[in-house]
Amino acid sequence: MELLNNTETTHEKPNIDKIVLLYSGGLDTSILVKWMQDYYDAEVVALTIDIGQPDARLDEVKEKALELGAVDAVAVDAKEEFAEKYISKAIKANAMYQGQYPLSTAIARPLKSEIAVEVAKETGADAVAHGSTGKGNDQVRFEVSMQSLDPDLTVVAPVRAMEMTRDKELEYAEENGIPVPNDVDSPYSTDENLWGRSIECGILEHPEEEYPNDIFELVQVPEDAPEEPEYITLEFEKGVPIALNGEKQPLTSLISELNDIAGKHGVGIIDMTEDRVVGLKSREIYECPAAITIINAHHDLEKFVSTTHQNSFKPSLDQKWAEMAYQGLWNDPLMDNIESFQENSNQKVDGTVRLKLYKGEAKVVGRESPNALYDHNLATYKEGETFNQEASPGFIELWGLQSRMANHIDEK
Ligand code: ARG
């Protein structure tokens, strides 16, 4: 089978009849609903997916798409699927791209792609479209995922083909009676879901400048956070959080509640320069209060129940997982291979972690687990210790054998 890249290029217009568009209701995708009908001479189905972004008023968005001329508008609440199938894997992987970014935008792309491909099948569309630009990671994630899922679909990237500046977009919106959202003057480009919020552009493109405090929606900056620390507990079962402060709840609501609590204490602000898949370096700000808190807690508990060998080996796989998730390779078989390992190694990650939230930090201050490899009687320096110190000298003699030899070899 020949699997060509089925993505349009800017100079070659594909022949299509019906396109499913990932539609957010924002300016770009609103313009696309209209623009694509004219440019491709095709019908447009608007697809809106709720993964916990604040403006996900599905009914309203649906109505707006129909007003803009979409032949159909489909709204999908995918919050639970996002939490159960995507976020929970990221937790088990302690997922942090380049050690800092919990991949909140990145892991949502393959889910959106999967749903778009399904809706294309259901509505008899021969193409899918996303609203990402030609400079970012998202185009890569969408197109690689969609084409892995269904190589017969044509993937169109109209923002690349349309080549409109912001001013041109506004002009086009006015000419075509497309309502312009209130935040259109914001200098920032943002993306949000349950796992966090990404902020780019404007002054943030100057990596030497500190970010302004008014860019945040989920966190209060540490300077304004409460003067008193707040203690919370997170209970985990097989590597996934199941209760917050003793209250069992689904992962979706646990994450939203934790976003509020940890956000109030300024937890989860990330300021980093990041290596994009397309080669660019960019400066990114993220606010991910729940993600940072949960991953801190998970990582701590995982180390508590795993052997030293597991603890030294797993981070290399976790790092590979994060890179592949970031780079749009969610559907590559290696991801499944790594996830099998992570699933298996998380079987014992049960227990409760206590954290102290204070002025931007979510610090683990206590942990308990029925599977802990910690034994107080072994560890204590007090009476009643069971560790056999008599065994230490012999162990040390053999443990250091090669190092001793290597350091003194020329003295022989
Ligand atoms: N740089 C991040 C990533 O690639 C965030 C992208 C956010 N997208 C946006 N439209 N602001 O995952």
Side-chain angles (χ1 to χ4, degrees):
M1 183 171 41
E2 202 180 2
L3 288 174
L4 296 173
N5 184 355
N6 222 359
T7 303
E8 72 171 338
T9 54
T10 26
H11 41 269
E12 212 179 307
K13 197 194 291 192
N15 215 343
I16 43 190
D17 297 320
K18 195 176 195 180
I19 316 169
V20 171
L21 166 69
L22 285 166
Y23 174 71
S24 68
L27 180 64
D28 286 355
T29 54
S30 297
I31 286 179
L32 289 181
V33 175
K34 172 80 180 84
W35 187 86
M36 289 202 309
Q37 296 169 57
D38 300 337
Y39 181 76
Y40 300 107
D41 190 20
E43 292 180 333
V44 174
V45 175
L47 167 63
T48 311
I49 303 169
D50 180 1
I51 46 169
Q53 67 277 30
D55 49 359
R57 290 177 295 272
L58 292 183
D59 288 344
E60 258 172 61
V61 180
K62 211 168 145 173
E63 205 171 298
K64 191 172 158 200
L66 293 171
E67 276 165 21
L68 294 169
V71 289
D72 202 351
V74 182
V76 179
D77 179 350
K79 289 197 287 293
E80 208 165 296
E81 194 179 352
F82 184 43
E84 301 300 333
K85 296 221 304 242
Y86 292 77
I87 296 178
S88 67
K89 283 183 184 163
I91 298 171
K92 289 178 204 167
N94 298 309
M96 292 283 179
Y97 179 63
Q98 300 194 315
Q100 288 180 281
Y101 164 42
L103 297 164
S104 40
T105 293
I107 60 169
R109 301 319 194 192
L111 169 62
K112 288 188 168 185
S113 303
E114 197 180 302
I115 297 172
V117 168
E118 259 164 50
V119 170
K121 265 189 206 126
E122 282 162 22
T123 55
D126 51 357
V128 275
H130 62 79
S132 302
T133 70
K135 285 177 86 169
N137 298 314
D138 289 331
Q139 54 173 348
V140 180
R141 297 169 183 148
F142 282 130
E143 292 171 36
V144 172
S145 288
M146 288 168 171
Q147 296 192 344
S148 310
L149 295 167
D150 185 352
D152 293 333
L153 277 175
T154 300
V155 183
V156 294
V159 174
R160 288 199 307 246
M162 186 166 74
E163 290 175 328
M164 269 197 217
T165 59
R166 198 70 174 167
D167 288 342
K168 278 251 174 68
E169 282 191 353
L170 290 171
E171 220 172 274
Y172 184 91
E174 182 152 3
E175 278 166 22
N176 292 281
I178 297 167
V180 173
N182 317 335
D183 65 349
V184 75
D185 293 331
S186 162
Y188 306 112
S189 161
T190 61
D191 178 69
E192 182 172 350
N193 62 49
L194 209 50
W195 205 225
R197 182 166 178 266
S198 311
I199 316 157
E200 311 174 315
C201 304
I203 183 76
L204 307 178
E205 284 175 355
H206 299 272
E208 70 283 6
E209 297 291 341
E210 186 175 1
Y211 54 75
N213 283 347
D214 62 5
I215 58 175
F216 299 110
E217 296 277 338
L218 305 177
V219 296
Q220 190 154 42
V221 290
E223 296 89 302
D224 300 334
E227 295 301 322
E228 289 300 312
E230 182 169 345
Y231 289 87
I232 60 161
T233 60
L234 276 175
E235 186 184 341
F236 287 83
E237 197 177 273
K238 297 191 194 317
V240 179
I242 53 159
L244 170 59
N245 290 330
E247 194 196 322
K248 286 216 158 65
Q249 51 182 315
L251 191 53
T252 47
S253 63
L254 185 146
I255 293 170
S256 343
E257 194 182 329
L258 189 55
N259 268 330
D260 290 344
I261 302 177
K264 190 176 78 193
H265 288 279
V267 172
I269 295 179
I270 298 147
D271 175 352
M272 68 187 284
T273 59
E274 178 178 299
D275 291 303
R276 287 193 187 166
V277 197
V278 293
L280 283 174
K281 241 184 223 306
S282 65
R283 197 277 190 95
E284 307 277 334
I285 306 290
Y286 300 102
E287 40 180 341
C288 304
I292 293 295
T293 308
I294 291 174
I295 289 181
N296 279 354
H298 174 268
H299 202 183
D300 186 281
L301 186 63
E302 187 182 71
K303 286 200 322 217
F304 197 48
V305 302
S306 305
T307 66
T308 176
H309 311 293
Q310 291 174 304
N311 285 334
S312 100
F313 180 73
K314 186 168 177 284
S316 61
L317 285 189
D318 290 347
Q319 189 186 333
K320 186 69 188 168
W321 190 95
E323 283 171 7
M324 294 195 58
Y326 182 86
Q327 293 165 348
L329 300 173
W330 186 270
N331 301 96
D332 191 282
L334 181 58
M335 287 298 265
D336 277 345
N337 302 157
I338 298 177
E339 283 159 16
S340 304
F341 177 93
Q342 289 161 337
E343 186 57 35
N344 185 273
S345 67
N346 267 278
Q347 290 303 305
K348 286 190 171 173
V349 185
D350 297 337
T352 301
V353 179
R354 206 154 76 93
L355 299 112
K356 179 178 179 176
L357 309 177
Y358 181 61
K359 295 276 184 197
E361 214 186 344
K363 201 168 168 175
V364 174
V365 293
R367 68 288 283 159
E368 298 176 68
S369 169
N371 306 323
L373 297 182
Y374 174 91
D375 180 332
H376 182 260
N377 290 333
L378 283 174
T380 186
Y381 283 96
K382 297 215 175 99
E383 222 172 295
E385 62 151 345
T386 52
F387 185 84
N388 179 8
Q389 297 196 36
E390 289 300 313
S392 290
F395 166 74
I396 293 164
E397 182 177 329
L398 303 183
W399 176 248
L401 183 61
Q402 292 198 1
S403 306
R404 281 202 314 277
M405 285 172 73
N407 276 289
H408 297 285
I409 201 126
D410 47 0
E411 290 169 15
K412 269 205 259 158

